[in-house]
Amino acid sequence: MYDVIIIGAGVSGVTFASKISKYAKTMLIEAQDYQKEIPIRTNIFPEHNKPFVKEELDWNNKKIFPNPHTTSNYMSDEFNGVIDSKEFGIPLGNVSYTENLIQYLITQLESHGGTFKSNERISKINRYNDHLELINTKGESYTSKLLILATGSRGFELQRSLGFGVPDSYIGVYLHLFGDETKINENLRWNYTFHINPKISKNGPFFFNKGVERISAGYLGEKNQSKEEIISKLERILKNYKPIQSFVDGLTYNISDAIVGEISKHPIKKYSNDRVLILGEAAGIVSAFFYEGLLPGVACADIAAKTLKPLFEKGSNFSRVELQEYDKEVNRVLMTYFKNGNAFEYLIYNESSSVKSLWNLYTKLLSENKTCRKYIYDAYINHDLSKHIVSNDRYVGEKLFGMLPTLSKLTLSPKFFKAMLLL
Ligand SMILES: Cc1cc2nc3c(=O)[nH]c(=O)nc-3n(C[C@H](O)[C@H](O)[C@H](O)COP(=O)(O)OP(=O)(O)OC[C@H]3O[C@@H](n4cnc5c(N)ncnc54)[C@H](O)[C@@H]3O)c2cc1C
């Protein structure tokens, strides 16, 4: 019998596994074949993630964090709204080679005596009073006192079977483009480029995340887009979309390497039940506008480990009441910061004809207004997001509203009013 079994070796699962395995008999199970390859991912890993992994990860490990994240460009067709950390202080965070981060934390788990099983999918879970039984697709079973679901957007059946809700889920696509470091830096000045064009998607951004010899490009698409559609649209964008041609010029890529996957948002109501916790994206804890999912992954992992440590020590039976502390803490730590994503999502991700002009104005605002840039910078580097200053987001909202032409002010004021109420 294991003390704890974690299903899913994404960032949430591996972070939690590396933490809990120090004091509990732990097994981590992953459906993908990591022996063959952990799929490469070049991600943005803001400074505000750091407190949740400060004991596990060395911020200067270049294999995991090849370069600092110093510049973000909130880009429209007309303006570059650039947040450059040099204007204010320390970097905004790091760029992460997330496949190396995952591998490193699995090695940590194993060095603590934990077990990692790859290429194994759990298909059924039976609940008993004093333990759970997990059965994989080969019919083998494991027992555990406690179960952690860190299944991202790929385990909805399992979480439903345990009485949890499932979040809203969208499709996304990304692809890596390669080139030498100099060429990549010539092409793209910013570590992170976040671009909205409703013709690309009404639900999310088109983005570039810049590593050292590779760039990840992709976008978050519509709910019912097929895999073929989203990939062929990405190819058309990379080949023909004028605003980004200079970024991709001369870089190599193979469109058949594009990865398509679901991404969820809008948190479900509860993240715990008797003997079960649910972490990160599986619980829909991804910020609604920026689709920031690594922060919730590492935060949930840290909060779960801190909640469980004393329970292990006192020989708890992990009742729902005891585990509810985890829900409360996750909400306390993350949901104030998440409000700005909710407000922005409401303003921007919709069918209305004003989306493009609003996004143009927002990027103009950032390019012109230092206070707005500073407020965004502060959110990137804030080590205690429970104290995120919501009035800063209101200030940015008010400035944006102030820039609207008079007629748009009249038509959009109800929308702005409602967005402000979300803050
Ligand atoms: C294109 C794109 C770009 C992104 N870029 C960023 C970024 O730059 N910064 C950022 O903060 N966020 C980013 N995100 C969001 C972020 O990557 C995710 O929210 C985060 O990685 C989710 O981590 P997770 O561990 O919760 O879930 P996942 O990474 O999805 O891991 C879940 C794992 O569980 C496994 N699994 C599921 N079911 C089973 C089962 N039954 N048995 C065994 N294993 C199972 C899956 O195989 C999977 O490996 C991006 C998302 C997308 C789609």
Side-chain angles (χ1 to χ4, degrees), residues 130-377:
D130 56 350
H131 73 280
L132 296 121
E133 181 190 26
L134 283 69
I135 303 170
N136 69 19
T137 45
K138 295 173 218 150
E140 295 157 345
S141 73
Y142 306 104
T143 53
S144 179
K145 291 180 194 158
L146 190 67
L147 169 65
I148 306 294
L149 287 176
T151 39
S153 302
R154 302 185 211 177
F156 291 159
E157 290 297 304
L158 282 185
Q159 65 194 72
R160 272 199 200 98
S161 77
L162 292 167
F164 288 102
V166 298
D168 291 331
S169 164
Y170 299 79
I171 195 162
V173 62
Y174 71 93
L175 174 71
H176 277 87
L177 292 80
F178 300 90
D180 69 45
E181 195 178 346
T182 321
K183 176 70 181 153
I184 281 184
N185 287 330
E186 265 168 29
N187 279 20
L188 195 61
R189 274 182 285 150
W190 315 283
N191 300 111
Y192 180 43
T193 305
F194 180 101
H195 176 64
I196 304 269
N197 181 340
K199 283 195 181 142
I200 296 177
S201 171
K202 294 185 179 67
N203 281 310
F206 185 88
F207 66 87
F208 288 101
N209 297 337
K210 185 175 75 161
V212 174
E213 289 176 335
R214 68 194 218 201
I215 289 177
S216 158
Y219 70 100
L220 299 168
E222 314 293 338
K223 255 187 176 164
N224 297 316
Q225 239 170 336
S226 70
K227 190 174 170 185
E228 293 70 29
E229 255 176 276
I230 197 167
I231 293 178
S232 81
K233 191 166 176 181
L234 176 63
E235 189 174 21
R236 290 199 302 277
I237 294 167
L238 290 174
K239 282 194 174 140
N240 305 319
Y241 186 49
K242 284 221 173 63
I244 63 155
Q245 288 312 300
S246 61
F247 304 165
V248 299
D249 173 56
L251 304 185
T252 57
Y253 61 87
N254 188 346
I255 195 70
S256 62
D257 292 338
I259 295 186
V260 175
E262 295 287 311
I263 178 162
S264 299
K265 58 180 180 174
H266 303 142
I268 56 176
K269 282 204 178 72
K270 60 170 189 184
Y271 323 135
S272 61
N273 212 336
D274 292 321
R275 294 187 184 277
V276 189
L277 291 182
I278 180 158
L279 310 187
E281 191 177 316
I285 315 178
V286 174
S287 71
F289 185 66
F290 296 106
Y291 282 96
E292 210 186 328
L294 299 180
L295 163 72
V298 294
C300 285
D302 189 51
I303 295 165
K306 285 185 173 138
T307 310
L308 293 173
K309 186 167 186 269
L311 298 183
F312 273 116
E313 281 163 2
K314 76 169 196 195
S316 157
N317 60 2
F318 306 105
S319 70
R320 188 174 164 200
V321 175
E322 284 171 310
L323 296 182
Q324 266 170 0
E325 283 308 308
Y326 164 74
D327 296 51
K328 278 191 208 148
E329 190 61 4
V330 168
N331 289 337
R332 186 188 72 79
V333 169
L334 292 175
M335 292 308 149
T336 307
Y337 171 62
F338 269 36
K339 284 181 184 176
N340 83 52
N342 297 340
F344 238 124
E345 176 192 41
Y346 177 73
L347 266 184
I348 300 284
Y349 294 152
N350 56 60
E351 309 283 325
S352 99
S353 56
S354 56
V355 168
K356 198 162 176 185
S357 54
L358 267 179
W359 184 247
N360 274 344
L361 278 185
Y362 179 70
T363 57
K364 182 169 193 280
L365 173 66
L366 294 189
S367 71
E368 291 172 351
N369 187 314
K370 183 170 178 172
T371 308
C372 291
R373 288 199 296 277
K374 173 76 165 75
Y375 287 165
I376 293 172
Y377 174 80

Side-chain angles (χ1 to χ4, degrees), residues 7-8 10-12 30-32 43-44 122 150-151 263 281 293-294:
I7 310 180
V11 166
S12 308
E30 169 56 48
Q32 298 177 76
N43 290 130
I44 295 302
I122 298 298
T151 39
I263 178 162
E281 191 177 316
L294 299 180

Side-chain angles (χ1 to χ4, degrees), residues 5-6 9 21 38 84 94 106 160 217 222 236 293 323 369 395 397 402 407:
I5 295 184
I6 303 137
S21 53
I38 304 180
D84 186 337
N94 272 333
I106 291 173
R160 272 199 200 98
E222 314 293 338
R236 290 199 302 277
L323 296 182
N369 187 314
Y395 174 92
L407 197 62

